Amino acid sequence: MTNHVPVIAIDGPSASGKGTVAERVAAALGFHYLDSGALYRLATLNALRRQVPLDDAVPLAGATRELEISFRDGKLWLDGEDVTEAVRTEAVSAATSRVAASPQVREALLERQRLFLRPPGLVADGRDMGSVVFPHAALKVFLTADVGTRAERRHKQLMEKGMCAKMADVVEELRQRDARDSARPVAPLRHYPDALFLDTTALTIDQAVGQVLAWYRERTGN
Ligand code: DC
C-alpha cells in the first residue's frame, strides 16, 4: 500500500527551475525524486533510434511500454547506454513535446511513474504530476518564471555544456514548447486551482526550495 506515502507534485513549464527545486526539496526531506520529463525524453529517444514514426500512436505506445531504462548514479540509461546528454539535445526536446501529446504514450507511462512512489515519500516534477499521476498529492505546486528569465537560464545551461545557441532561438523554442504542452487536449500544462503558485522570476533556488518546504510543513506539520 502506497496510499499513505506523501507526494509533493511540482508542475510547470520548461526551464522554470522546477527540476532543480524538486531535487533539492527531495534531498532535504530524504524523499525519492521523479523527473517525469526524463521518462518522456527517454521514450522519444527510443522511438527516434528505432525509427518509430512519432505520429503513429499505436507503435509509439508499444515501444514506450517496452522501454528498457533505468535511473542510476544520477544518470539516465536506455538499453544499457548512458543517454543523460543525448536526451537533452534541442532536437530531442522538440520531438518530446510532440510525443508527450499522445494520450496512448501518456497512458503507457502512467504506471511506470507511479512505481516511483515509495516510502518515505516522493517529490515528482512534470506537467501533470498533481492533476493526473498523483492527484492525491499532499502538496501541489505550480512553479514558473517569466519566459525571458527561463530563456536566460536555459541559455546559460547550454553554454555551460559547450552548446552554442542564440538567445532569440532559445526564447522562440521555449514559447513553442509551452504552447504545445499547454494546448494539447490530454494532461495539458496548466495552473490547476488546487496547486499553489510559485513564481521564481525574482527568487534564488534556495528561496524557492525554502518556500516549498515551508508550504509542506504547513500542510503536514512535518
Ligand atoms: O520537463 P522536461 O522539459 O524535461 O519535459 C520534456 C517534455 O515532456 C516537455 O515537452 C513536456 C513533456 N512532459 C509532459 O508532457 N508531462 C510530464 N509529466 C513531463 C514532461
Side-chain angles (χ1 to χ4, degrees), residues 137-188:
L139 172 65
K140 302 181 187 183
V141 176
F142 186 83
L143 191 151
T144 189
D146 69 37
V147 73
T149 305
R150 291 190 287 121
E152 271 168 31
R153 291 175 186 168
R154 173 56 52 88
H155 188 252
K156 190 163 159 256
Q157 271 175 358
L158 291 171
M159 297 312 233
E160 280 165 4
K161 286 190 202 156
M163 299 173 177
C164 340
K166 281 202 220 112
M167 190 60 184
D169 294 343
V170 177
V171 173
E172 185 49 32
E173 206 275 329
L174 277 180
R175 278 192 205 282
Q176 284 181 12
R177 197 130 58 94
D178 288 351
R180 267 198 304 268
D181 293 342
S182 309
R184 69 181 177 221
V186 178

mmCIF file of all heavy atoms in Angstrom, residues 137-188:
data_model
loop_
_atom_site.group_PDB
_atom_site.id
_atom_site.type_symbol
_atom_site.label_atom_id
_atom_site.label_comp_id
_atom_site.label_asym_id
_atom_site.label_seq_id
_atom_site.Cartn_x
_atom_site.Cartn_y
_atom_site.Cartn_z
ATOM 1 N N ALA A 137 -1.763 14.097 -4.129
ATOM 2 C CA ALA A 137 -0.525 14.645 -3.561
ATOM 3 C C ALA A 137 -0.818 15.534 -2.356
ATOM 4 O O ALA A 137 -1.799 16.297 -2.350
ATOM 5 C CB ALA A 137 0.215 15.446 -4.634
ATOM 6 N N ALA A 138 0.041 15.423 -1.338
ATOM 7 C CA ALA A 138 -0.131 16.217 -0.107
ATOM 8 C C ALA A 138 0.038 17.702 -0.403
ATOM 9 O O ALA A 138 -0.588 18.561 0.226
ATOM 10 C CB ALA A 138 0.897 15.769 0.929
ATOM 11 N N LEU A 139 0.924 18.011 -1.355
ATOM 12 C CA LEU A 139 1.168 19.409 -1.737
ATOM 13 C C LEU A 139 1.351 19.459 -3.251
ATOM 14 O O LEU A 139 2.068 18.636 -3.825
ATOM 15 C CB LEU A 139 2.454 19.914 -1.052
ATOM 16 C CG LEU A 139 2.946 21.300 -1.500
ATOM 17 C CD1 LEU A 139 1.953 22.399 -1.109
ATOM 18 C CD2 LEU A 139 4.325 21.601 -0.901
ATOM 19 N N LYS A 140 0.664 20.416 -3.886
ATOM 20 C CA LYS A 140 0.810 20.611 -5.331
ATOM 21 C C LYS A 140 1.299 22.043 -5.560
ATOM 22 O O LYS A 140 0.720 22.981 -5.008
ATOM 23 C CB LYS A 140 -0.521 20.409 -6.046
ATOM 24 C CG LYS A 140 -1.118 19.030 -5.813
ATOM 25 C CD LYS A 140 -2.434 18.866 -6.553
ATOM 26 C CE LYS A 140 -3.078 17.546 -6.164
ATOM 27 N NZ LYS A 140 -4.325 17.302 -6.899
ATOM 28 N N VAL A 141 2.349 22.153 -6.360
ATOM 29 C CA VAL A 141 2.923 23.476 -6.623
ATOM 30 C C VAL A 141 2.964 23.676 -8.136
ATOM 31 O O VAL A 141 3.338 22.759 -8.883
ATOM 32 C CB VAL A 141 4.367 23.562 -6.062
ATOM 33 C CG1 VAL A 141 5.011 24.902 -6.408
ATOM 34 C CG2 VAL A 141 4.360 23.346 -4.547
ATOM 35 N N PHE A 142 2.576 24.845 -8.587
ATOM 36 C CA PHE A 142 2.791 25.216 -9.987
ATOM 37 C C PHE A 142 3.935 26.214 -9.987
ATOM 38 O O PHE A 142 3.799 27.338 -9.500
ATOM 39 C CB PHE A 142 1.530 25.832 -10.598
ATOM 40 C CG PHE A 142 1.673 26.091 -12.076
ATOM 41 C CD1 PHE A 142 1.449 25.077 -12.991
ATOM 42 C CD2 PHE A 142 2.057 27.332 -12.555
ATOM 43 C CE1 PHE A 142 1.607 25.287 -14.361
ATOM 44 C CE2 PHE A 142 2.223 27.559 -13.923
ATOM 45 C CZ PHE A 142 1.989 26.529 -14.826
ATOM 46 N N LEU A 143 5.090 25.770 -10.497
ATOM 47 C CA LEU A 143 6.302 26.586 -10.402
ATOM 48 C C LEU A 143 6.639 27.160 -11.776
ATOM 49 O O LEU A 143 6.776 26.420 -12.751
ATOM 50 C CB LEU A 143 7.434 25.698 -9.883
ATOM 51 C CG LEU A 143 8.729 26.390 -9.470
ATOM 52 C CD1 LEU A 143 9.421 25.578 -8.372
ATOM 53 C CD2 LEU A 143 9.670 26.564 -10.630
ATOM 54 N N THR A 144 6.762 28.477 -11.845
ATOM 55 C CA THR A 144 7.044 29.084 -13.146
ATOM 56 C C THR A 144 7.954 30.296 -12.988
ATOM 57 O O THR A 144 8.349 30.666 -11.873
ATOM 58 C CB THR A 144 5.717 29.448 -13.862
ATOM 59 O OG1 THR A 144 6.021 29.832 -15.204
ATOM 60 C CG2 THR A 144 4.958 30.546 -13.156
ATOM 61 N N ALA A 145 8.316 30.882 -14.123
ATOM 62 C CA ALA A 145 9.078 32.137 -14.147
ATOM 63 C C ALA A 145 8.761 32.748 -15.497
ATOM 64 O O ALA A 145 8.306 32.039 -16.405
ATOM 65 C CB ALA A 145 10.572 31.862 -14.027
ATOM 66 N N ASP A 146 8.993 34.061 -15.661
ATOM 67 C CA ASP A 146 8.629 34.636 -16.963
ATOM 68 C C ASP A 146 9.543 34.092 -18.055
ATOM 69 O O ASP A 146 10.636 33.593 -17.782
ATOM 70 C CB ASP A 146 8.540 36.170 -16.919
ATOM 71 C CG ASP A 146 9.892 36.820 -16.728
ATOM 72 O OD1 ASP A 146 10.869 36.309 -17.293
ATOM 73 O OD2 ASP A 146 9.960 37.830 -16.019
ATOM 74 N N VAL A 147 9.052 34.149 -19.291
ATOM 75 C CA VAL A 147 9.730 33.428 -20.366
ATOM 76 C C VAL A 147 11.150 33.945 -20.603
ATOM 77 O O VAL A 147 12.065 33.152 -20.892
ATOM 78 C CB VAL A 147 8.875 33.398 -21.666
ATOM 79 C CG1 VAL A 147 8.839 34.742 -22.354
ATOM 80 C CG2 VAL A 147 9.380 32.341 -22.633
ATOM 81 N N GLY A 148 11.396 35.259 -20.405
ATOM 82 C CA GLY A 148 12.734 35.818 -20.584
ATOM 83 C C GLY A 148 13.706 35.217 -19.578
ATOM 84 O O GLY A 148 14.834 34.831 -19.923
ATOM 85 N N THR A 149 13.265 35.103 -18.330
ATOM 86 C CA THR A 149 14.116 34.537 -17.275
ATOM 87 C C THR A 149 14.395 33.058 -17.557
ATOM 88 O O THR A 149 15.523 32.580 -17.413
ATOM 89 C CB THR A 149 13.404 34.672 -15.907
ATOM 90 O OG1 THR A 149 13.070 36.038 -15.732
ATOM 91 C CG2 THR A 149 14.260 34.188 -14.763
ATOM 92 N N ARG A 150 13.358 32.340 -17.986
ATOM 93 C CA ARG A 150 13.551 30.919 -18.280
ATOM 94 C C ARG A 150 14.517 30.741 -19.446
ATOM 95 O O ARG A 150 15.363 29.848 -19.429
ATOM 96 C CB ARG A 150 12.200 30.252 -18.566
ATOM 97 C CG ARG A 150 11.358 30.179 -17.302
ATOM 98 C CD ARG A 150 10.133 29.330 -17.468
ATOM 99 N NE ARG A 150 9.105 29.944 -18.273
ATOM 100 C CZ ARG A 150 8.604 29.430 -19.391
ATOM 101 N NH1 ARG A 150 9.039 28.278 -19.859
ATOM 102 N NH2 ARG A 150 7.660 30.050 -20.036
ATOM 103 N N ALA A 151 14.398 31.592 -20.455
ATOM 104 C CA ALA A 151 15.295 31.500 -21.618
ATOM 105 C C ALA A 151 16.736 31.780 -21.197
ATOM 106 O O ALA A 151 17.662 31.096 -21.636
ATOM 107 C CB ALA A 151 14.848 32.465 -22.703
ATOM 108 N N GLU A 152 16.916 32.774 -20.311
ATOM 109 C CA GLU A 152 18.280 33.062 -19.831
ATOM 110 C C GLU A 152 18.870 31.860 -19.106
ATOM 111 O O GLU A 152 20.030 31.507 -19.296
ATOM 112 C CB GLU A 152 18.255 34.239 -18.856
ATOM 113 C CG GLU A 152 18.401 35.579 -19.526
ATOM 114 C CD GLU A 152 18.085 36.710 -18.559
ATOM 115 O OE1 GLU A 152 18.320 36.559 -17.339
ATOM 116 O OE2 GLU A 152 17.565 37.744 -19.033
ATOM 117 N N ARG A 153 18.044 31.231 -18.275
ATOM 118 C CA ARG A 153 18.528 30.060 -17.521
ATOM 119 C C ARG A 153 18.902 28.929 -18.476
ATOM 120 O O ARG A 153 19.938 28.287 -18.323
ATOM 121 C CB ARG A 153 17.452 29.580 -16.538
ATOM 122 C CG ARG A 153 17.211 30.558 -15.391
ATOM 123 C CD ARG A 153 16.058 30.081 -14.515
ATOM 124 N NE ARG A 153 15.722 31.060 -13.492
ATOM 125 C CZ ARG A 153 14.626 31.002 -12.750
ATOM 126 N NH1 ARG A 153 13.754 30.031 -12.900
ATOM 127 N NH2 ARG A 153 14.398 31.914 -11.833
ATOM 128 N N ARG A 154 18.028 28.677 -19.464
ATOM 129 C CA ARG A 154 18.299 27.610 -20.425
ATOM 130 C C ARG A 154 19.551 27.932 -21.240
ATOM 131 O O ARG A 154 20.407 27.078 -21.473
ATOM 132 C CB ARG A 154 17.068 27.420 -21.320
ATOM 133 C CG ARG A 154 17.213 26.473 -22.490
ATOM 134 C CD ARG A 154 17.659 25.063 -22.104
ATOM 135 N NE ARG A 154 16.886 24.427 -21.065
ATOM 136 C CZ ARG A 154 15.796 23.705 -21.254
ATOM 137 N NH1 ARG A 154 15.333 23.531 -22.459
ATOM 138 N NH2 ARG A 154 15.159 23.139 -20.247
ATOM 139 N N HIS A 155 19.680 29.193 -21.653
ATOM 140 C CA HIS A 155 20.812 29.625 -22.464
ATOM 141 C C HIS A 155 22.110 29.387 -21.697
ATOM 142 O O HIS A 155 23.090 28.855 -22.235
ATOM 143 C CB HIS A 155 20.623 31.114 -22.813
ATOM 144 C CG HIS A 155 21.618 31.621 -23.796
ATOM 145 N ND1 HIS A 155 22.631 32.466 -23.462
ATOM 146 C CD2 HIS A 155 21.773 31.387 -25.126
ATOM 147 C CE1 HIS A 155 23.361 32.713 -24.539
ATOM 148 N NE2 HIS A 155 22.858 32.084 -25.553
ATOM 149 N N LYS A 156 22.102 29.761 -20.416
ATOM 150 C CA LYS A 156 23.289 29.596 -19.575
ATOM 151 C C LYS A 156 23.663 28.107 -19.479
ATOM 152 O O LYS A 156 24.826 27.741 -19.634
ATOM 153 C CB LYS A 156 22.988 30.176 -18.186
ATOM 154 C CG LYS A 156 24.179 30.281 -17.295
ATOM 155 C CD LYS A 156 23.915 31.227 -16.126
ATOM 156 C CE LYS A 156 24.864 30.940 -14.992
ATOM 157 N NZ LYS A 156 24.268 30.212 -13.872
ATOM 158 N N GLN A 157 22.636 27.267 -19.265
ATOM 159 C CA GLN A 157 22.877 25.819 -19.174
ATOM 160 C C GLN A 157 23.520 25.297 -20.459
ATOM 161 O O GLN A 157 24.473 24.528 -20.428
ATOM 162 C CB GLN A 157 21.546 25.058 -19.046
ATOM 163 C CG GLN A 157 21.050 24.864 -17.654
ATOM 164 C CD GLN A 157 19.657 24.216 -17.681
ATOM 165 O OE1 GLN A 157 19.080 23.958 -18.731
ATOM 166 N NE2 GLN A 157 19.115 23.975 -16.496
ATOM 167 N N LEU A 158 22.990 25.730 -21.606
ATOM 168 C CA LEU A 158 23.507 25.262 -22.894
ATOM 169 C C LEU A 158 24.957 25.697 -23.080
ATOM 170 O O LEU A 158 25.799 24.908 -23.503
ATOM 171 C CB LEU A 158 22.645 25.796 -24.052
ATOM 172 C CG LEU A 158 21.230 25.222 -24.145
ATOM 173 C CD1 LEU A 158 20.412 25.975 -25.190
ATOM 174 C CD2 LEU A 158 21.259 23.733 -24.494
ATOM 175 N N MET A 159 25.250 26.959 -22.721
ATOM 176 C CA MET A 159 26.615 27.465 -22.865
ATOM 177 C C MET A 159 27.567 26.681 -21.969
ATOM 178 O O MET A 159 28.676 26.336 -22.377
ATOM 179 C CB MET A 159 26.699 28.957 -22.505
ATOM 180 C CG MET A 159 25.896 29.857 -23.403
ATOM 181 S SD MET A 159 26.197 29.470 -25.130
ATOM 182 C CE MET A 159 26.619 31.003 -25.739
ATOM 183 N N GLU A 160 27.108 26.387 -20.737
ATOM 184 C CA GLU A 160 27.965 25.637 -19.810
ATOM 185 C C GLU A 160 28.311 24.266 -20.369
ATOM 186 O O GLU A 160 29.360 23.706 -20.083
ATOM 187 C CB GLU A 160 27.267 25.480 -18.451
ATOM 188 C CG GLU A 160 27.404 26.737 -17.600
ATOM 189 C CD GLU A 160 26.450 26.768 -16.415
ATOM 190 O OE1 GLU A 160 25.726 25.782 -16.189
ATOM 191 O OE2 GLU A 160 26.426 27.798 -15.727
ATOM 192 N N LYS A 161 27.382 23.722 -21.164
ATOM 193 C CA LYS A 161 27.639 22.401 -21.760
ATOM 194 C C LYS A 161 28.410 22.509 -23.070
ATOM 195 O O LYS A 161 28.563 21.527 -23.783
ATOM 196 C CB LYS A 161 26.311 21.716 -22.043
ATOM 197 C CG LYS A 161 25.631 21.210 -20.811
ATOM 198 C CD LYS A 161 24.468 20.345 -21.230
ATOM 199 C CE LYS A 161 23.441 20.232 -20.141
ATOM 200 N NZ LYS A 161 22.138 19.922 -20.674
ATOM 201 N N GLY A 162 28.805 23.746 -23.421
ATOM 202 C CA GLY A 162 29.566 23.927 -24.654
ATOM 203 C C GLY A 162 28.698 23.918 -25.898
ATOM 204 O O GLY A 162 29.201 23.782 -27.010
ATOM 205 N N MET A 163 27.365 24.029 -25.726
ATOM 206 C CA MET A 163 26.496 24.051 -26.912
ATOM 207 C C MET A 163 26.168 25.513 -27.223
ATOM 208 O O MET A 163 25.755 26.254 -26.331
ATOM 209 C CB MET A 163 25.171 23.344 -26.619
ATOM 210 C CG MET A 163 25.323 21.889 -26.242
ATOM 211 S SD MET A 163 23.708 21.275 -25.749
ATOM 212 C CE MET A 163 24.027 19.583 -25.420
ATOM 213 N N CYS A 164 26.378 25.937 -28.464
ATOM 214 C CA CYS A 164 26.033 27.336 -28.756
ATOM 215 C C CYS A 164 24.564 27.428 -29.117
ATOM 216 O O CYS A 164 24.014 26.532 -29.728
ATOM 217 C CB CYS A 164 26.758 27.946 -29.921
ATOM 218 S SG CYS A 164 28.201 27.229 -30.445
ATOM 219 N N ALA A 165 23.978 28.523 -28.693
ATOM 220 C CA ALA A 165 22.579 28.760 -29.056
ATOM 221 C C ALA A 165 22.354 30.253 -29.023
ATOM 222 O O ALA A 165 22.903 30.948 -28.168
ATOM 223 C CB ALA A 165 21.674 28.065 -28.061
ATOM 224 N N LYS A 166 21.549 30.738 -29.964
ATOM 225 C CA LYS A 166 21.220 32.163 -29.954
ATOM 226 C C LYS A 166 20.077 32.376 -28.993
ATOM 227 O O LYS A 166 19.116 31.604 -28.973
ATOM 228 C CB LYS A 166 20.791 32.604 -31.356
ATOM 229 C CG LYS A 166 21.953 32.829 -32.277
ATOM 230 C CD LYS A 166 21.517 33.763 -33.423
ATOM 231 C CE LYS A 166 22.102 33.318 -34.732
ATOM 232 N NZ LYS A 166 21.166 32.820 -35.705
ATOM 233 N N MET A 167 20.190 33.457 -28.206
ATOM 234 C CA MET A 167 19.156 33.753 -27.215
ATOM 235 C C MET A 167 17.760 33.802 -27.860
ATOM 236 O O MET A 167 16.804 33.241 -27.334
ATOM 237 C CB MET A 167 19.516 35.101 -26.571
ATOM 238 C CG MET A 167 18.703 35.442 -25.393
ATOM 239 S SD MET A 167 18.876 34.224 -24.081
ATOM 240 C CE MET A 167 17.700 34.941 -22.993
ATOM 241 N N ALA A 168 17.672 34.450 -29.024
ATOM 242 C CA ALA A 168 16.359 34.592 -29.678
ATOM 243 C C ALA A 168 15.780 33.217 -30.035
ATOM 244 O O ALA A 168 14.570 32.994 -29.907
ATOM 245 C CB ALA A 168 16.498 35.440 -30.936
ATOM 246 N N ASP A 169 16.653 32.282 -30.426
ATOM 247 C CA ASP A 169 16.171 30.935 -30.766
ATOM 248 C C ASP A 169 15.695 30.197 -29.522
ATOM 249 O O ASP A 169 14.720 29.449 -29.561
ATOM 250 C CB ASP A 169 17.296 30.110 -31.426
ATOM 251 C CG ASP A 169 17.693 30.670 -32.779
ATOM 252 O OD1 ASP A 169 16.907 31.470 -33.339
ATOM 253 O OD2 ASP A 169 18.783 30.318 -33.271
ATOM 254 N N VAL A 170 16.415 30.422 -28.408
ATOM 255 C CA VAL A 170 16.030 29.746 -27.161
ATOM 256 C C VAL A 170 14.647 30.236 -26.721
ATOM 257 O O VAL A 170 13.777 29.443 -26.348
ATOM 258 C CB VAL A 170 17.084 29.990 -26.046
ATOM 259 C CG1 VAL A 170 16.648 29.362 -24.736
ATOM 260 C CG2 VAL A 170 18.440 29.435 -26.452
ATOM 261 N N VAL A 171 14.427 31.553 -26.811
ATOM 262 C CA VAL A 171 13.119 32.117 -26.427
ATOM 263 C C VAL A 171 12.022 31.526 -27.310
ATOM 264 O O VAL A 171 10.992 31.054 -26.819
ATOM 265 C CB VAL A 171 13.104 33.662 -26.563
ATOM 266 C CG1 VAL A 171 11.715 34.227 -26.344
ATOM 267 C CG2 VAL A 171 14.090 34.301 -25.591
ATOM 268 N N GLU A 172 12.276 31.497 -28.617
ATOM 269 C CA GLU A 172 11.271 31.017 -29.559
ATOM 270 C C GLU A 172 10.964 29.537 -29.307
ATOM 271 O O GLU A 172 9.805 29.114 -29.303
ATOM 272 C CB GLU A 172 11.799 31.243 -30.992
ATOM 273 C CG GLU A 172 10.822 30.902 -32.098
ATOM 274 C CD GLU A 172 9.437 31.501 -31.904
ATOM 275 O OE1 GLU A 172 9.324 32.595 -31.322
ATOM 276 O OE2 GLU A 172 8.449 30.858 -32.309
ATOM 277 N N GLU A 173 12.012 28.762 -29.055
ATOM 278 C CA GLU A 173 11.832 27.329 -28.839
ATOM 279 C C GLU A 173 11.017 27.084 -27.568
ATOM 280 O O GLU A 173 10.109 26.251 -27.542
ATOM 281 C CB GLU A 173 13.224 26.676 -28.761
ATOM 282 C CG GLU A 173 13.257 25.217 -29.146
ATOM 283 C CD GLU A 173 12.915 24.327 -27.979
ATOM 284 O OE1 GLU A 173 13.216 24.712 -26.828
ATOM 285 O OE2 GLU A 173 12.320 23.266 -28.224
ATOM 286 N N LEU A 174 11.299 27.866 -26.507
ATOM 287 C CA LEU A 174 10.546 27.716 -25.251
ATOM 288 C C LEU A 174 9.078 28.078 -25.456
ATOM 289 O O LEU A 174 8.182 27.388 -24.972
ATOM 290 C CB LEU A 174 11.123 28.628 -24.161
ATOM 291 C CG LEU A 174 12.324 28.139 -23.381
ATOM 292 C CD1 LEU A 174 12.733 29.182 -22.346
ATOM 293 C CD2 LEU A 174 12.035 26.815 -22.684
ATOM 294 N N ARG A 175 8.850 29.161 -26.195
ATOM 295 C CA ARG A 175 7.465 29.594 -26.449
ATOM 296 C C ARG A 175 6.687 28.504 -27.187
ATOM 297 O O ARG A 175 5.549 28.201 -26.845
ATOM 298 C CB ARG A 175 7.449 30.852 -27.326
ATOM 299 C CG ARG A 175 7.674 32.123 -26.566
ATOM 300 C CD ARG A 175 7.331 33.308 -27.469
ATOM 301 N NE ARG A 175 8.018 34.515 -27.085
ATOM 302 C CZ ARG A 175 7.652 35.290 -26.058
ATOM 303 N NH1 ARG A 175 6.590 34.979 -25.343
ATOM 304 N NH2 ARG A 175 8.343 36.367 -25.754
ATOM 305 N N GLN A 176 7.354 27.929 -28.204
ATOM 306 C CA GLN A 176 6.664 26.897 -28.994
ATOM 307 C C GLN A 176 6.363 25.666 -28.150
ATOM 308 O O GLN A 176 5.292 25.085 -28.226
ATOM 309 C CB GLN A 176 7.525 26.480 -30.179
ATOM 310 C CG GLN A 176 7.502 27.513 -31.289
ATOM 311 C CD GLN A 176 8.349 27.070 -32.471
ATOM 312 O OE1 GLN A 176 8.764 25.922 -32.566
ATOM 313 N NE2 GLN A 176 8.625 28.005 -33.361
ATOM 314 N N ARG A 177 7.350 25.309 -27.314
ATOM 315 C CA ARG A 177 7.165 24.100 -26.494
ATOM 316 C C ARG A 177 6.062 24.342 -25.455
ATOM 317 O O ARG A 177 5.193 23.489 -25.253
ATOM 318 C CB ARG A 177 8.488 23.740 -25.815
ATOM 319 C CG ARG A 177 8.546 22.369 -25.289
ATOM 320 C CD ARG A 177 9.787 21.625 -25.727
ATOM 321 N NE ARG A 177 11.014 22.297 -25.327
ATOM 322 C CZ ARG A 177 11.668 22.012 -24.206
ATOM 323 N NH1 ARG A 177 11.203 21.115 -23.370
ATOM 324 N NH2 ARG A 177 12.794 22.615 -23.935
ATOM 325 N N ASP A 178 6.062 25.525 -24.835
ATOM 326 C CA ASP A 178 4.999 25.853 -23.860
ATOM 327 C C ASP A 178 3.638 25.804 -24.541
ATOM 328 O O ASP A 178 2.669 25.305 -23.977
ATOM 329 C CB ASP A 178 5.177 27.273 -23.310
ATOM 330 C CG ASP A 178 6.354 27.389 -22.362
ATOM 331 O OD1 ASP A 178 6.926 26.352 -21.984
ATOM 332 O OD2 ASP A 178 6.694 28.538 -21.997
ATOM 333 N N ALA A 179 3.583 26.354 -25.770
ATOM 334 C CA ALA A 179 2.298 26.402 -26.476
ATOM 335 C C ALA A 179 1.810 24.987 -26.750
ATOM 336 O O ALA A 179 0.639 24.665 -26.516
ATOM 337 C CB ALA A 179 2.445 27.179 -27.780
ATOM 338 N N ARG A 180 2.719 24.116 -27.213
ATOM 339 C CA ARG A 180 2.317 22.722 -27.494
ATOM 340 C C ARG A 180 1.914 22.010 -26.211
ATOM 341 O O ARG A 180 0.911 21.305 -26.163
ATOM 342 C CB ARG A 180 3.479 21.959 -28.145
ATOM 343 C CG ARG A 180 3.463 21.980 -29.658
ATOM 344 C CD ARG A 180 4.364 20.861 -30.212
ATOM 345 N NE ARG A 180 5.710 20.950 -29.716
ATOM 346 C CZ ARG A 180 6.701 21.598 -30.329
ATOM 347 N NH1 ARG A 180 6.488 22.203 -31.467
ATOM 348 N NH2 ARG A 180 7.907 21.629 -29.810
ATOM 349 N N ASP A 181 2.692 22.195 -25.128
ATOM 350 C CA ASP A 181 2.396 21.493 -23.872
ATOM 351 C C ASP A 181 1.089 21.997 -23.259
ATOM 352 O O ASP A 181 0.394 21.252 -22.560
ATOM 353 C CB ASP A 181 3.545 21.680 -22.857
ATOM 354 C CG ASP A 181 4.838 20.982 -23.293
ATOM 355 O OD1 ASP A 181 4.778 20.091 -24.163
ATOM 356 O OD2 ASP A 181 5.903 21.343 -22.761
ATOM 357 N N SER A 182 0.749 23.275 -23.514
ATOM 358 C CA SER A 182 -0.467 23.840 -22.902
ATOM 359 C C SER A 182 -1.706 23.574 -23.743
ATOM 360 O O SER A 182 -2.806 23.501 -23.209
ATOM 361 C CB SER A 182 -0.333 25.358 -22.757
ATOM 362 O OG SER A 182 0.871 25.671 -22.121
ATOM 363 N N ALA A 183 -1.509 23.437 -25.061
ATOM 364 C CA ALA A 183 -2.677 23.333 -25.949
ATOM 365 C C ALA A 183 -3.171 21.906 -26.114
ATOM 366 O O ALA A 183 -4.279 21.697 -26.593
ATOM 367 C CB ALA A 183 -2.323 23.905 -27.320
ATOM 368 N N ARG A 184 -2.368 20.923 -25.728
ATOM 369 C CA ARG A 184 -2.803 19.557 -26.007
ATOM 370 C C ARG A 184 -4.044 19.229 -25.173
ATOM 371 O O ARG A 184 -4.182 19.693 -24.029
ATOM 372 C CB ARG A 184 -1.667 18.572 -25.730
ATOM 373 C CG ARG A 184 -1.330 18.450 -24.278
ATOM 374 C CD ARG A 184 -0.189 17.494 -24.030
ATOM 375 N NE ARG A 184 0.128 17.482 -22.624
ATOM 376 C CZ ARG A 184 1.346 17.463 -22.109
ATOM 377 N NH1 ARG A 184 2.387 17.456 -22.899
ATOM 378 N NH2 ARG A 184 1.526 17.428 -20.810
ATOM 379 N N PRO A 185 -4.930 18.394 -25.725
ATOM 380 C CA PRO A 185 -6.175 18.111 -25.009
ATOM 381 C C PRO A 185 -5.960 17.239 -23.762
ATOM 382 O O PRO A 185 -6.720 17.328 -22.803
ATOM 383 C CB PRO A 185 -7.040 17.372 -26.032
ATOM 384 C CG PRO A 185 -6.245 17.232 -27.279
ATOM 385 C CD PRO A 185 -4.901 17.842 -27.080
ATOM 386 N N VAL A 186 -4.920 16.382 -23.786
ATOM 387 C CA VAL A 186 -4.730 15.462 -22.656
ATOM 388 C C VAL A 186 -3.636 15.978 -21.730
ATOM 389 O O VAL A 186 -2.528 16.276 -22.175
ATOM 390 C CB VAL A 186 -4.342 14.052 -23.164
ATOM 391 C CG1 VAL A 186 -4.103 13.105 -22.008
ATOM 392 C CG2 VAL A 186 -5.427 13.519 -24.070
ATOM 393 N N ALA A 187 -3.963 16.057 -20.445
ATOM 394 C CA ALA A 187 -2.998 16.461 -19.411
ATOM 395 C C ALA A 187 -2.198 17.702 -19.800
ATOM 396 O O ALA A 187 -0.967 17.689 -19.776
ATOM 397 C CB ALA A 187 -2.064 15.290 -19.077
ATOM 398 N N PRO A 188 -2.850 18.777 -20.198
ATOM 399 C CA PRO A 188 -2.103 19.973 -20.603
ATOM 400 C C PRO A 188 -1.384 20.620 -19.422
ATOM 401 O O PRO A 188 -1.774 20.417 -18.269
ATOM 402 C CB PRO A 188 -3.187 20.909 -21.126
ATOM 403 C CG PRO A 188 -4.422 20.491 -20.405
ATOM 404 C CD PRO A 188 -4.298 19.011 -20.177
#
